[in-house]
């Protein structure tokens, strides 16, 4: 949602699906509409597990790009 520049109420969580290889996102519904209006071609995801101060935590980053390459 942040990569699309929208708040938590603007698109449904079910409109954003992280692909099984955890590297890209498939969008549908309002999320896909928002991406199209912004010229977003794809969203690239980077996810990993790191050691935090109280144990292991998952960290993810999503970057919206305007080109497929």
């Amino acid at each position: 949602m942040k990569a699309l520049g929208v708040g938590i109420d603007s698109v449904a969580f079910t409109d954003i699906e992280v692909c099984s290889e955890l590297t890209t996102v498939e969008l549908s519904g309002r999320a896909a509409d928002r991406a199209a209006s912004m010229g977003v071609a794809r969203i690239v995801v980077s996810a990993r597990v790191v050691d935090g101060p109280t144990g292991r935590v998952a960290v993810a980053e999503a970057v919206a790009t305007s080109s497929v390459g």
Side-chain angles (χ1 to χ4, degrees):
M1 291 178 191
K2 191 175 240 184
L4 294 174
V6 297
I8 202 162
D9 300 7
S10 299
V11 298
F13 284 105
T14 55
D15 288 348
I16 304 169
E17 178 184 356
V18 179
C19 295
S20 61
E21 69 277 358
L22 300 177
T23 58
T24 58
V25 173
E26 291 289 329
L27 302 175
S28 61
R30 289 183 292 175
D33 294 342
R34 173 67 177 166
S37 73
M38 295 174 62
V40 171
R42 73 179 188 164
I43 298 178
V44 180
V45 177
S46 171
R48 62 192 176 284
V49 176
V50 298
D51 292 321
T54 59
R56 297 175 63 102
V57 295
V59 178
E61 177 182 55
V63 178
T65 64
S66 61
S67 63
V68 178

